[in-house]
Amino acid sequence: MSVRILIGAQWGDEGKGKIVDILAPKTDLVVRYQGGANAGHTLKFNGKTFVLHLIPSGIFHDGCQCVIGNGVVIDPFTLLQEMDAVRGMGVEPAGRLFIAETAHVILPYHKALDKANESSKGEGKIGTTGRGIGPAYVSKTSRRGIRMRDLLDAGSLREKLDEALIEVNLHLSSLYDAPTFTADELIPDLLEAGRQLAPYIRNTSDMVHDAIDLGQSILLEGAQGALLDVDHGTYPYVTSSSPTSGGACTGSGVPPLAVTHVMGISKAYCTRVGNGPFPTELDNELGEQIRKTGHEFGATTGRPRRTGWLDLVALRYAARVNGMSELVVTKLDVLDALDEVRACTAYRVNGVETKVFPLGCETLEAVEPVYTTFPGWKTNTIGITSFDALPTEAKTYLDFIESYLKVPIKIVSTGPDRTETILIEE
Ligand code: IMP
């Protein structure tokens, strides 16, 4: 039995979808535990590319059951579309996909609030995905949320919507001068979505505990990344959920002592979408080259991602906050053409070098990265499947990362396809 948490160790987009897809054949249950359709988990196999936003990335493996956990915020209409798209790939979600009855619903007004809130901030905006994530979590924590189980009960849905709309409409009209919503216009579509989703909605907490009791293999699939965590990330430039390993337990119902592995995923370099500090950013030609080679454009919004060198200070922080027991390095091949490769190994703050990741954005904006430089390997590593076959310079780089973090590297990804992967055995 294993209960493995899979987390993004940077600012998201580390390649979690591909890694879940690789681990899924040995997994009985995959549980998505936080976030919503702000995520875009890309999978590539049999010459096709597929992006999942809500459905766990284990769906393309027959033996694997998939749960959208209680910590996820679900746009039911996006989910229904995604289920249809999965069917289009020849996979029937019925009997394989389960949705937590306690997961909260993203409603059209959450998206309206997200957009209105962002535009009101002008230059100071977070750069959200506009999917209504933050406002949906606000509804949840203010105890005015609608849960998936409410979509199955017309009476309860109306009562809760009526109550929620009092505050929502006040916000929309008085703060943003934006159009308001009525329960009457929302309810028919929501009940129809509930009717279609009813066979999938259940007590997934019980399912997860039964799987633990049976000694099954469970994978808890995170979205976004540690540095976007609402508590541990670069606040306020964060998402509104907890992608870190603690969030995996609350967002799935898995108790902490059941967890056997915490796998962190990092690119061989660094990216960030949206605003916020990024000490190793390469806002220059080299950054542009990495963006082009790595196809660094958002899988959900299409926005160009900011690119930079690997930041080991930030990664060490992520390793500590998550209790990372193993590491995956993705997109090594993107660095193939570079003459030299750098990794930030300390920050200089007021003239003093430190390995401590500062928790205030103002301090993080002001740090000066201290780099260790490695010779580039200048050889094609795309599709290499054994560590020994990597060029010496690439091995040196990976060995350095491992020894800096004191976390063993278990997987190296050398291309987007499922097959382009190095699995490092014990
Ligand atoms: P939100 O999650 O849409 O509220 O956006 C908050 C911040 O998280 C923004 O900077 C987004 O760009 C970022 N973000 C949200 N989801 C992802 C993701 O899946 N990958 C990378 N960044 C993300």
Side-chain angles (χ1 to χ4, degrees), residues 260-293:
T260 56
H261 302 75
V262 180
M263 180 174 255
I265 308 195
S266 167
K267 284 179 190 168
Y269 50 97
C270 206
T271 63
R272 170 161 209 170
V273 203
N275 295 334
F278 183 177
T280 60
E281 182 165 15
L282 289 165
D283 194 8
N284 55 21
E285 244 175 63
L286 185 55
E288 183 59 33
Q289 184 186 332
I290 293 175
R291 178 160 38 250
K292 276 204 186 126
T293 315

PDB file of all heavy atoms in Angstrom, residues 260-293:
ATOM      1  N   THR A 260       2.377   7.939   2.853  1.00  0.00           N
ATOM      2  CA  THR A 260       3.668   7.235   2.853  1.00  0.00           C
ATOM      3  C   THR A 260       4.752   7.978   2.061  1.00  0.00           C
ATOM      4  O   THR A 260       5.935   7.789   2.324  1.00  0.00           O
ATOM      5  CB  THR A 260       3.503   5.824   2.265  1.00  0.00           C
ATOM      6  OG1 THR A 260       2.931   5.940   0.953  1.00  0.00           O
ATOM      7  CG2 THR A 260       2.608   4.955   3.140  1.00  0.00           C
ATOM      8  N   HIS A 261       4.365   8.770   1.056  1.00  0.00           N
ATOM      9  CA  HIS A 261       5.349   9.468   0.227  1.00  0.00           C
ATOM     10  C   HIS A 261       4.836  10.875  -0.105  1.00  0.00           C
ATOM     11  O   HIS A 261       3.647  11.051  -0.347  1.00  0.00           O
ATOM     12  CB  HIS A 261       5.561   8.784  -1.132  1.00  0.00           C
ATOM     13  CG  HIS A 261       5.999   7.357  -1.047  1.00  0.00           C
ATOM     14  ND1 HIS A 261       5.162   6.329  -0.703  1.00  0.00           N
ATOM     15  CD2 HIS A 261       7.190   6.800  -1.304  1.00  0.00           C
ATOM     16  CE1 HIS A 261       5.825   5.185  -0.724  1.00  0.00           C
ATOM     17  NE2 HIS A 261       7.068   5.439  -1.086  1.00  0.00           N
ATOM     18  N   VAL A 262       5.749  11.822  -0.163  1.00  0.00           N
ATOM     19  CA  VAL A 262       5.391  13.153  -0.671  1.00  0.00           C
ATOM     20  C   VAL A 262       6.332  13.450  -1.837  1.00  0.00           C
ATOM     21  O   VAL A 262       7.542  13.630  -1.649  1.00  0.00           O
ATOM     22  CB  VAL A 262       5.512  14.251   0.406  1.00  0.00           C
ATOM     23  CG1 VAL A 262       5.135  15.608  -0.177  1.00  0.00           C
ATOM     24  CG2 VAL A 262       4.626  13.928   1.612  1.00  0.00           C
ATOM     25  N   MET A 263       5.763  13.450  -3.017  1.00  0.00           N
ATOM     26  CA  MET A 263       6.568  13.631  -4.223  1.00  0.00           C
ATOM     27  C   MET A 263       6.410  15.064  -4.731  1.00  0.00           C
ATOM     28  O   MET A 263       5.293  15.502  -5.048  1.00  0.00           O
ATOM     29  CB  MET A 263       6.084  12.630  -5.276  1.00  0.00           C
ATOM     30  CG  MET A 263       6.815  12.675  -6.585  1.00  0.00           C
ATOM     31  SD  MET A 263       6.272  11.354  -7.686  1.00  0.00           S
ATOM     32  CE  MET A 263       7.647  10.235  -7.577  1.00  0.00           C
ATOM     33  N   GLY A 264       7.504  15.794  -4.785  1.00  0.00           N
ATOM     34  CA  GLY A 264       7.464  17.162  -5.304  1.00  0.00           C
ATOM     35  C   GLY A 264       7.920  17.174  -6.759  1.00  0.00           C
ATOM     36  O   GLY A 264       8.818  16.426  -7.130  1.00  0.00           O
ATOM     37  N   ILE A 265       7.304  18.032  -7.538  1.00  0.00           N
ATOM     38  CA  ILE A 265       7.685  18.125  -8.947  1.00  0.00           C
ATOM     39  C   ILE A 265       8.220  19.520  -9.244  1.00  0.00           C
ATOM     40  O   ILE A 265       7.599  20.527  -8.878  1.00  0.00           O
ATOM     41  CB  ILE A 265       6.488  17.870  -9.873  1.00  0.00           C
ATOM     42  CG1 ILE A 265       5.827  16.560  -9.462  1.00  0.00           C
ATOM     43  CG2 ILE A 265       6.912  17.822 -11.324  1.00  0.00           C
ATOM     44  CD1 ILE A 265       4.900  16.010 -10.469  1.00  0.00           C
ATOM     45  N   SER A 266       9.383  19.550  -9.878  1.00  0.00           N
ATOM     46  CA  SER A 266       9.985  20.831 -10.244  1.00  0.00           C
ATOM     47  C   SER A 266      10.482  20.740 -11.681  1.00  0.00           C
ATOM     48  O   SER A 266      10.984  19.706 -12.106  1.00  0.00           O
ATOM     49  CB  SER A 266      11.166  21.101  -9.313  1.00  0.00           C
ATOM     50  OG  SER A 266      11.947  22.161  -9.815  1.00  0.00           O
ATOM     51  N   LYS A 267      10.356  21.834 -12.390  1.00  0.00           N
ATOM     52  CA  LYS A 267      11.032  21.907 -13.684  1.00  0.00           C
ATOM     53  C   LYS A 267      12.530  22.034 -13.455  1.00  0.00           C
ATOM     54  O   LYS A 267      12.952  22.433 -12.348  1.00  0.00           O
ATOM     55  CB  LYS A 267      10.568  23.144 -14.457  1.00  0.00           C
ATOM     56  CG  LYS A 267       9.203  22.980 -15.063  1.00  0.00           C
ATOM     57  CD  LYS A 267       8.789  24.241 -15.791  1.00  0.00           C
ATOM     58  CE  LYS A 267       7.333  24.133 -16.177  1.00  0.00           C
ATOM     59  NZ  LYS A 267       6.707  25.327 -16.632  1.00  0.00           N
ATOM     60  N   ALA A 268      13.310  21.815 -14.506  1.00  0.00           N
ATOM     61  CA  ALA A 268      14.766  22.001 -14.416  1.00  0.00           C
ATOM     62  C   ALA A 268      15.106  23.486 -14.413  1.00  0.00           C
ATOM     63  O   ALA A 268      16.261  23.865 -14.238  1.00  0.00           O
ATOM     64  CB  ALA A 268      15.434  21.302 -15.587  1.00  0.00           C
ATOM     65  N   TYR A 269      14.080  24.324 -14.630  1.00  0.00           N
ATOM     66  CA  TYR A 269      14.211  25.778 -14.550  1.00  0.00           C
ATOM     67  C   TYR A 269      12.960  26.259 -13.812  1.00  0.00           C
ATOM     68  O   TYR A 269      12.406  25.480 -13.034  1.00  0.00           O
ATOM     69  CB  TYR A 269      14.371  26.400 -15.951  1.00  0.00           C
ATOM     70  CG  TYR A 269      13.322  25.938 -16.944  1.00  0.00           C
ATOM     71  CD1 TYR A 269      12.195  26.702 -17.205  1.00  0.00           C
ATOM     72  CD2 TYR A 269      13.443  24.718 -17.601  1.00  0.00           C
ATOM     73  CE1 TYR A 269      11.230  26.277 -18.110  1.00  0.00           C
ATOM     74  CE2 TYR A 269      12.472  24.276 -18.493  1.00  0.00           C
ATOM     75  CZ  TYR A 269      11.370  25.057 -18.744  1.00  0.00           C
ATOM     76  OH  TYR A 269      10.409  24.615 -19.623  1.00  0.00           O
ATOM     77  N   CYS A 270      12.521  27.447 -14.035  1.00  0.00           N
ATOM     78  CA  CYS A 270      11.409  27.966 -13.252  1.00  0.00           C
ATOM     79  C   CYS A 270      10.460  28.783 -14.124  1.00  0.00           C
ATOM     80  O   CYS A 270      10.913  29.484 -15.047  1.00  0.00           O
ATOM     81  CB  CYS A 270      12.011  28.856 -12.167  1.00  0.00           C
ATOM     82  SG  CYS A 270      11.015  28.989 -10.724  1.00  0.00           S
ATOM     83  N   THR A 271       9.169  28.705 -13.833  1.00  0.00           N
ATOM     84  CA  THR A 271       8.212  29.580 -14.531  1.00  0.00           C
ATOM     85  C   THR A 271       7.177  30.106 -13.541  1.00  0.00           C
ATOM     86  O   THR A 271       6.992  29.539 -12.470  1.00  0.00           O
ATOM     87  CB  THR A 271       7.442  28.847 -15.665  1.00  0.00           C
ATOM     88  OG1 THR A 271       6.662  27.794 -15.097  1.00  0.00           O
ATOM     89  CG2 THR A 271       8.367  28.298 -16.722  1.00  0.00           C
ATOM     90  N   ARG A 272       6.526  31.152 -13.968  1.00  0.00           N
ATOM     91  CA  ARG A 272       5.444  31.711 -13.154  1.00  0.00           C
ATOM     92  C   ARG A 272       4.448  32.375 -14.109  1.00  0.00           C
ATOM     93  O   ARG A 272       4.859  33.059 -15.049  1.00  0.00           O
ATOM     94  CB  ARG A 272       6.044  32.716 -12.169  1.00  0.00           C
ATOM     95  CG  ARG A 272       5.039  33.526 -11.431  1.00  0.00           C
ATOM     96  CD  ARG A 272       5.491  34.191 -10.166  1.00  0.00           C
ATOM     97  NE  ARG A 272       4.273  34.257  -9.370  1.00  0.00           N
ATOM     98  CZ  ARG A 272       4.167  34.579  -8.114  1.00  0.00           C
ATOM     99  NH1 ARG A 272       5.229  34.888  -7.425  1.00  0.00           N
ATOM    100  NH2 ARG A 272       3.007  34.604  -7.507  1.00  0.00           N
ATOM    101  N   VAL A 273       3.136  32.195 -13.852  1.00  0.00           N
ATOM    102  CA  VAL A 273       2.104  32.921 -14.623  1.00  0.00           C
ATOM    103  C   VAL A 273       1.408  33.876 -13.680  1.00  0.00           C
ATOM    104  O   VAL A 273       1.165  33.521 -12.536  1.00  0.00           O
ATOM    105  CB  VAL A 273       0.983  31.982 -15.159  1.00  0.00           C
ATOM    106  CG1 VAL A 273       0.287  32.605 -16.353  1.00  0.00           C
ATOM    107  CG2 VAL A 273       1.477  30.621 -15.474  1.00  0.00           C
ATOM    108  N   GLY A 274       1.090  35.042 -14.168  1.00  0.00           N
ATOM    109  CA  GLY A 274       0.448  36.033 -13.302  1.00  0.00           C
ATOM    110  C   GLY A 274       1.510  36.867 -12.607  1.00  0.00           C
ATOM    111  O   GLY A 274       2.716  36.684 -12.823  1.00  0.00           O
ATOM    112  N   ASN A 275       1.046  37.756 -11.749  1.00  0.00           N
ATOM    113  CA  ASN A 275       1.968  38.697 -11.110  1.00  0.00           C
ATOM    114  C   ASN A 275       2.590  38.125  -9.841  1.00  0.00           C
ATOM    115  O   ASN A 275       2.232  37.044  -9.407  1.00  0.00           O
ATOM    116  CB  ASN A 275       1.231  39.998 -10.800  1.00  0.00           C
ATOM    117  CG  ASN A 275       0.803  40.682 -12.090  1.00  0.00           C
ATOM    118  OD1 ASN A 275       1.423  40.475 -13.132  1.00  0.00           O
ATOM    119  ND2 ASN A 275      -0.260  41.464 -12.029  1.00  0.00           N
ATOM    120  N   GLY A 276       3.540  38.877  -9.274  1.00  0.00           N
ATOM    121  CA  GLY A 276       4.181  38.459  -8.027  1.00  0.00           C
ATOM    122  C   GLY A 276       5.670  38.289  -8.194  1.00  0.00           C
ATOM    123  O   GLY A 276       6.176  38.206  -9.322  1.00  0.00           O
ATOM    124  N   PRO A 277       6.404  38.262  -7.070  1.00  0.00           N
ATOM    125  CA  PRO A 277       7.871  38.206  -7.129  1.00  0.00           C
ATOM    126  C   PRO A 277       8.387  36.917  -7.757  1.00  0.00           C
ATOM    127  O   PRO A 277       7.779  35.851  -7.598  1.00  0.00           O
ATOM    128  CB  PRO A 277       8.289  38.293  -5.657  1.00  0.00           C
ATOM    129  CG  PRO A 277       7.078  38.009  -4.857  1.00  0.00           C
ATOM    130  CD  PRO A 277       5.887  38.312  -5.695  1.00  0.00           C
ATOM    131  N   PHE A 278       9.525  37.037  -8.440  1.00  0.00           N
ATOM    132  CA  PHE A 278      10.136  35.904  -9.137  1.00  0.00           C
ATOM    133  C   PHE A 278      11.632  36.233  -9.226  1.00  0.00           C
ATOM    134  O   PHE A 278      12.116  36.774 -10.223  1.00  0.00           O
ATOM    135  CB  PHE A 278       9.485  35.791 -10.528  1.00  0.00           C
ATOM    136  CG  PHE A 278       9.934  34.639 -11.382  1.00  0.00           C
ATOM    137  CD1 PHE A 278       9.346  34.434 -12.624  1.00  0.00           C
ATOM    138  CD2 PHE A 278      10.922  33.739 -10.970  1.00  0.00           C
ATOM    139  CE1 PHE A 278       9.730  33.377 -13.440  1.00  0.00           C
ATOM    140  CE2 PHE A 278      11.320  32.680 -11.770  1.00  0.00           C
ATOM    141  CZ  PHE A 278      10.731  32.502 -13.009  1.00  0.00           C
ATOM    142  N   PRO A 279      12.391  35.924  -8.146  1.00  0.00           N
ATOM    143  CA  PRO A 279      13.782  36.405  -8.059  1.00  0.00           C
ATOM    144  C   PRO A 279      14.665  35.989  -9.234  1.00  0.00           C
ATOM    145  O   PRO A 279      15.552  36.748  -9.615  1.00  0.00           O
ATOM    146  CB  PRO A 279      14.284  35.778  -6.749  1.00  0.00           C
ATOM    147  CG  PRO A 279      13.058  35.514  -5.942  1.00  0.00           C
ATOM    148  CD  PRO A 279      11.966  35.228  -6.928  1.00  0.00           C
ATOM    149  N   THR A 280      14.480  34.803  -9.795  1.00  0.00           N
ATOM    150  CA  THR A 280      15.410  34.340 -10.837  1.00  0.00           C
ATOM    151  C   THR A 280      14.870  34.580 -12.256  1.00  0.00           C
ATOM    152  O   THR A 280      15.345  33.968 -13.209  1.00  0.00           O
ATOM    153  CB  THR A 280      15.716  32.834 -10.667  1.00  0.00           C
ATOM    154  OG1 THR A 280      14.470  32.112 -10.776  1.00  0.00           O
ATOM    155  CG2 THR A 280      16.353  32.537  -9.323  1.00  0.00           C
ATOM    156  N   GLU A 281      13.887  35.471 -12.373  1.00  0.00           N
ATOM    157  CA  GLU A 281      13.266  35.698 -13.684  1.00  0.00           C
ATOM    158  C   GLU A 281      14.289  36.167 -14.714  1.00  0.00           C
ATOM    159  O   GLU A 281      15.177  36.982 -14.420  1.00  0.00           O
ATOM    160  CB  GLU A 281      12.159  36.751 -13.547  1.00  0.00           C
ATOM    161  CG  GLU A 281      11.432  37.009 -14.860  1.00  0.00           C
ATOM    162  CD  GLU A 281      10.126  37.755 -14.671  1.00  0.00           C
ATOM    163  OE1 GLU A 281       9.898  38.330 -13.578  1.00  0.00           O
ATOM    164  OE2 GLU A 281       9.310  37.761 -15.628  1.00  0.00           O
ATOM    165  N   LEU A 282      14.162  35.657 -15.930  1.00  0.00           N
ATOM    166  CA  LEU A 282      15.008  36.088 -17.047  1.00  0.00           C
ATOM    167  C   LEU A 282      14.128  36.889 -17.991  1.00  0.00           C
ATOM    168  O   LEU A 282      13.497  36.332 -18.898  1.00  0.00           O
ATOM    169  CB  LEU A 282      15.580  34.857 -17.775  1.00  0.00           C
ATOM    170  CG  LEU A 282      16.644  34.062 -17.017  1.00  0.00           C
ATOM    171  CD1 LEU A 282      16.873  32.700 -17.658  1.00  0.00           C
ATOM    172  CD2 LEU A 282      17.955  34.844 -16.971  1.00  0.00           C
ATOM    173  N   ASP A 283      14.073  38.181 -17.732  1.00  0.00           N
ATOM    174  CA  ASP A 283      13.223  39.034 -18.562  1.00  0.00           C
ATOM    175  C   ASP A 283      14.067  39.519 -19.739  1.00  0.00           C
ATOM    176  O   ASP A 283      14.302  40.714 -19.907  1.00  0.00           O
ATOM    177  CB  ASP A 283      12.713  40.199 -17.687  1.00  0.00           C
ATOM    178  CG  ASP A 283      11.572  40.929 -18.360  1.00  0.00           C
ATOM    179  OD1 ASP A 283      11.101  40.444 -19.404  1.00  0.00           O
ATOM    180  OD2 ASP A 283      11.178  41.997 -17.845  1.00  0.00           O
ATOM    181  N   ASN A 284      14.542  38.575 -20.544  1.00  0.00           N
ATOM    182  CA  ASN A 284      15.459  38.911 -21.634  1.00  0.00           C
ATOM    183  C   ASN A 284      15.368  37.860 -22.742  1.00  0.00           C
ATOM    184  O   ASN A 284      14.472  37.006 -22.719  1.00  0.00           O
ATOM    185  CB  ASN A 284      16.906  39.006 -21.094  1.00  0.00           C
ATOM    186  CG  ASN A 284      17.322  37.715 -20.375  1.00  0.00           C
ATOM    187  OD1 ASN A 284      16.740  36.658 -20.600  1.00  0.00           O
ATOM    188  ND2 ASN A 284      18.322  37.797 -19.533  1.00  0.00           N
ATOM    189  N   GLU A 285      16.316  37.900 -23.664  1.00  0.00           N
ATOM    190  CA  GLU A 285      16.284  36.983 -24.814  1.00  0.00           C
ATOM    191  C   GLU A 285      16.362  35.515 -24.401  1.00  0.00           C
ATOM    192  O   GLU A 285      15.688  34.659 -24.973  1.00  0.00           O
ATOM    193  CB  GLU A 285      17.491  37.280 -25.709  1.00  0.00           C
ATOM    194  CG  GLU A 285      17.094  37.787 -27.075  1.00  0.00           C
ATOM    195  CD  GLU A 285      18.318  38.175 -27.874  1.00  0.00           C
ATOM    196  OE1 GLU A 285      19.131  37.281 -28.148  1.00  0.00           O
ATOM    197  OE2 GLU A 285      18.432  39.377 -28.201  1.00  0.00           O
ATOM    198  N   LEU A 286      17.192  35.254 -23.393  1.00  0.00           N
ATOM    199  CA  LEU A 286      17.345  33.888 -22.919  1.00  0.00           C
ATOM    200  C   LEU A 286      16.020  33.366 -22.345  1.00  0.00           C
ATOM    201  O   LEU A 286      15.603  32.235 -22.612  1.00  0.00           O
ATOM    202  CB  LEU A 286      18.451  33.833 -21.859  1.00  0.00           C
ATOM    203  CG  LEU A 286      18.823  32.457 -21.339  1.00  0.00           C
ATOM    204  CD1 LEU A 286      19.202  31.509 -22.467  1.00  0.00           C
ATOM    205  CD2 LEU A 286      19.984  32.577 -20.350  1.00  0.00           C
ATOM    206  N   GLY A 287      15.352  34.246 -21.579  1.00  0.00           N
ATOM    207  CA  GLY A 287      14.038  33.881 -21.037  1.00  0.00           C
ATOM    208  C   GLY A 287      13.062  33.566 -22.158  1.00  0.00           C
ATOM    209  O   GLY A 287      12.262  32.627 -22.083  1.00  0.00           O
ATOM    210  N   GLU A 288      13.147  34.360 -23.229  1.00  0.00           N
ATOM    211  CA  GLU A 288      12.272  34.163 -24.388  1.00  0.00           C
ATOM    212  C   GLU A 288      12.586  32.825 -25.065  1.00  0.00           C
ATOM    213  O   GLU A 288      11.681  32.072 -25.464  1.00  0.00           O
ATOM    214  CB  GLU A 288      12.484  35.343 -25.354  1.00  0.00           C
ATOM    215  CG  GLU A 288      11.600  35.361 -26.593  1.00  0.00           C
ATOM    216  CD  GLU A 288      10.098  35.398 -26.258  1.00  0.00           C
ATOM    217  OE1 GLU A 288       9.730  36.004 -25.246  1.00  0.00           O
ATOM    218  OE2 GLU A 288       9.326  34.779 -27.018  1.00  0.00           O
ATOM    219  N   GLN A 289      13.879  32.522 -25.147  1.00  0.00           N
ATOM    220  CA  GLN A 289      14.306  31.248 -25.759  1.00  0.00           C
ATOM    221  C   GLN A 289      13.747  30.055 -24.955  1.00  0.00           C
ATOM    222  O   GLN A 289      13.214  29.095 -25.520  1.00  0.00           O
ATOM    223  CB  GLN A 289      15.837  31.186 -25.791  1.00  0.00           C
ATOM    224  CG  GLN A 289      16.370  29.947 -26.492  1.00  0.00           C
ATOM    225  CD  GLN A 289      17.904  29.856 -26.375  1.00  0.00           C
ATOM    226  OE1 GLN A 289      18.588  30.867 -26.260  1.00  0.00           O
ATOM    227  NE2 GLN A 289      18.432  28.643 -26.406  1.00  0.00           N
ATOM    228  N   ILE A 290      13.840  30.155 -23.622  1.00  0.00           N
ATOM    229  CA  ILE A 290      13.328  29.063 -22.774  1.00  0.00           C
ATOM    230  C   ILE A 290      11.810  28.956 -22.943  1.00  0.00           C
ATOM    231  O   ILE A 290      11.246  27.868 -23.048  1.00  0.00           O
ATOM    232  CB  ILE A 290      13.724  29.291 -21.291  1.00  0.00           C
ATOM    233  CG1 ILE A 290      15.239  29.155 -21.146  1.00  0.00           C
ATOM    234  CG2 ILE A 290      13.002  28.331 -20.363  1.00  0.00           C
ATOM    235  CD1 ILE A 290      15.795  29.463 -19.761  1.00  0.00           C
ATOM    236  N   ARG A 291      11.142  30.119 -23.012  1.00  0.00           N
ATOM    237  CA  ARG A 291       9.679  30.116 -23.193  1.00  0.00           C
ATOM    238  C   ARG A 291       9.294  29.404 -24.490  1.00  0.00           C
ATOM    239  O   ARG A 291       8.379  28.587 -24.523  1.00  0.00           O
ATOM    240  CB  ARG A 291       9.145  31.554 -23.188  1.00  0.00           C
ATOM    241  CG  ARG A 291       7.647  31.635 -23.408  1.00  0.00           C
ATOM    242  CD  ARG A 291       7.024  32.949 -22.951  1.00  0.00           C
ATOM    243  NE  ARG A 291       7.832  34.111 -23.208  1.00  0.00           N
ATOM    244  CZ  ARG A 291       8.441  34.830 -22.269  1.00  0.00           C
ATOM    245  NH1 ARG A 291       8.296  34.513 -20.991  1.00  0.00           N
ATOM    246  NH2 ARG A 291       9.168  35.873 -22.576  1.00  0.00           N
ATOM    247  N   LYS A 292      10.043  29.707 -25.559  1.00  0.00           N
ATOM    248  CA  LYS A 292       9.722  29.104 -26.863  1.00  0.00           C
ATOM    249  C   LYS A 292      10.028  27.611 -26.856  1.00  0.00           C
ATOM    250  O   LYS A 292       9.198  26.799 -27.254  1.00  0.00           O
ATOM    251  CB  LYS A 292      10.549  29.780 -27.965  1.00  0.00           C
ATOM    252  CG  LYS A 292       9.918  31.038 -28.460  1.00  0.00           C
ATOM    253  CD  LYS A 292      10.397  31.356 -29.877  1.00  0.00           C
ATOM    254  CE  LYS A 292       9.879  32.712 -30.313  1.00  0.00           C
ATOM    255  NZ  LYS A 292      10.939  33.609 -30.775  1.00  0.00           N
ATOM    256  N   THR A 293      11.236  27.252 -26.380  1.00  0.00           N
ATOM    257  CA  THR A 293      11.618  25.844 -26.406  1.00  0.00           C
ATOM    258  C   THR A 293      10.706  25.021 -25.493  1.00  0.00           C
ATOM    259  O   THR A 293      10.323  23.905 -25.824  1.00  0.00           O
ATOM    260  CB  THR A 293      13.084  25.679 -25.921  1.00  0.00           C
ATOM    261  OG1 THR A 293      13.867  26.669 -26.560  1.00  0.00           O
ATOM    262  CG2 THR A 293      13.628  24.310 -26.221  1.00  0.00           C
TER     263      THR A 293
END
